[in-house]
Amino acid sequence: MARSHRAFVIRHTRLRPVPGVAGIRLHLGDEVLPLWHALQVETGDPDTALPYWAFAWAGGLAIARYLEDHPGSVSGRRVFDLGSGSGLCAIAALHAGASDVTAAEIDAFAVDAIGLNAKAAGRRISVVRRDVLDEDEPPDVDVIVAGDCWYAEALAGRALRWLRRARSHGVDVLLGDPGRRYLPTDDLVKLATYEVRTTTELEDLAVKQGRVYALRPG
Ligand SMILES: C[S@@+](CC[C@H](N)C(=O)[O-])C[C@H]1O[C@@H](n2cnc3c(N)ncnc32)[C@H](O)[C@@H]1O
C-alpha cells in the first residue's frame, strides 16, 4: 500500500522550487480539485482528506521564512513538525541547522510525500504516522513547529491543548498562520509577518500575510 501512495504522489505532482523560500523544492500539485478527485478515486473514499501534502500552505511558508531569517531558533536543536503535510517546515528546520527533525502526520499520502521531499533535499526526516494529539506526554524535543493547523475547530482545540502541555514542559512552540478562523487568540507572541506567495487554488488571494507566533508559557 505504501508503495502505491508513493507512486500516486509522484504521478500527481512535480518537483519544483517553493516560491520565496530559498533552496527548498517540493513535490507540488497544480489544481486542488482535480487532484482531490483523483485521490477519491484512488482511495475509493469520497470523504478522503484534501491532498494537503501537495501544497505549501501559507502558515508553513511563514515558518519556513522565519527559520531562514532566524536559524538560531532551531540550530543544533531537536525539532518536531506537527501537521507536516509536504514536510516544508521540517525541511526548513534542517536547512536552518536543526540537529534532528521528526514530522508528524495522520495522512498516509503525506508520509510518502515527506519522504520524497526529504530525499530531494538530501535530508533525513523521521516520520511519525499516528495521532500524537491523543498522547499526554509531549515529544522529547526542543522546538515544535506547527504550520497552518488552525483551519478546523476540532483540530485547533486539540492541537492547542497539546502544544500548551509541551510548552509547560519547556518545549519552544512556533505557530505559522495566515489568519485562519481557529487560531488561538491568547498566549501568542507575534514574532514576524511575511508576505507569502501561495495560490488562488487554495486561498482567496495569491499573496497572503503569513504570521509566525511563539506560544507563551502558561
Ligand atoms: C493545512 S496542512 C499544513 C501542512 C504544512 N504544515 C504546511 O504548512 O504546508 C495541515 C496538515 O495537518 C495534518 N493533520 C491534521 N490533523 C493532524 C494530527 N492530528 N496530527 C498530525 N497531523 C495532522 C493534515 O493531514 C495536513 O497535512
Side-chain angles (χ1 to χ4, degrees), residues 52-53 55-61 81-86 88-89 104-107 110 130-133 147-149 151 155 158:
Y52 292 107
W53 46 267
F55 299 91
W57 292 80
L61 287 167
D81 180 17
L82 176 67
S84 189
S86 62
L88 167 64
C89 299
E105 255 299 338
I106 52 168
D107 183 324
R130 59 174 194 271
D131 195 339
V132 295
L133 301 182
D148 228 313
C149 291
Y151 54 94
L155 170 61
R158 296 177 65 228

Side-chain angles (χ1 to χ4, degrees), residues 16-26 28 56-58 60-69 88 92 95 193-199 206-208 210:
R16 55 189 125 157
V18 178
V21 184
I24 297 187
R25 294 179 309 152
L26 297 174
L28 297 173
W57 292 80
L61 287 167
I63 289 188
R65 295 273 298 275
Y66 182 82
L67 298 182
E68 196 180 341
D69 286 355
L88 167 64
H95 279 4
T193 304
Y194 295 97
E195 290 208 334
V196 294
R197 230 172 320 142
T198 168
T199 160
V207 175
K208 299 287 286 184

Side-chain angles (χ1 to χ4, degrees), residues 146 148-153 155-161 163-164 173 175-177 179-190 213-216:
D148 228 313
C149 291
W150 311 100
Y151 54 94
E153 189 171 15
L155 170 61
R158 296 177 65 228
L160 183 60
R161 277 191 296 282
L163 291 169
R164 280 207 171 114
V173 174
L175 312 183
D177 182 77
R180 305 270 181 241
R181 178 159 182 190
Y182 301 107
L183 178 76
T185 50
D186 296 334
D187 303 334
L188 296 187
V189 182
K190 186 157 68 176
Y213 302 89
L215 188 61
R216 269 199 202 99

Side-chain angles (χ1 to χ4, degrees), residues 26-207:
L26 297 174
H27 287 80
L28 297 173
D30 289 307
E31 297 175 279
V32 68
L33 289 180
L35 179 48
W36 192 18
H37 179 65
L39 201 51
Q40 289 165 330
V41 172
E42 177 82 4
T43 58
D45 177 5
D47 298 323
T48 195
L50 274 178
Y52 292 107
W53 46 267
F55 299 91
W57 292 80
L61 287 167
I63 289 188
R65 295 273 298 275
Y66 182 82
L67 298 182
E68 196 180 341
D69 286 355
H70 303 87
S73 58
V74 291
S75 181
R77 308 180 80 196
R78 297 161 304 160
V79 176
F80 191 92
D81 180 17
L82 176 67
S84 189
S86 62
L88 167 64
C89 299
I91 294 169
L94 285 164
H95 279 4
S99 58
D100 179 79
V101 177
T102 301
E105 255 299 338
I106 52 168
D107 183 324
F109 290 90
V111 172
D112 278 326
I114 295 165
L116 285 164
N117 290 328
K119 188 170 173 210
R123 306 283 186 169
R124 231 186 125 262
I125 298 171
S126 316
V127 185
V128 169
R129 195 199 155 195
R130 59 174 194 271
D131 195 339
V132 295
L133 301 182
D134 285 337
E135 297 170 10
D136 289 336
E137 199 60 27
D140 185 19
V141 297
D142 304 301
V143 186
I144 298 176
V145 294
D148 228 313
C149 291
W150 311 100
Y151 54 94
E153 189 171 15
L155 170 61
R158 296 177 65 228
L160 183 60
R161 277 191 296 282
W162 187 82
L163 291 169
R164 280 207 171 114
R165 208 158 46 237
R167 189 71 194 93
S168 73
H169 280 70
V171 179
D172 287 345
V173 174
L174 296 176
L175 312 183
D177 182 77
R180 305 270 181 241
R181 178 159 182 190
Y182 301 107
L183 178 76
T185 50
D186 296 334
D187 303 334
L188 296 187
V189 182
K190 186 157 68 176
L191 301 178
T193 304
Y194 295 97
E195 290 208 334
V196 294
R197 230 172 320 142
T198 168
T199 160
T200 51
E201 280 295 308
L202 308 175
E203 311 284 357
D204 54 343
L205 300 169
V207 175

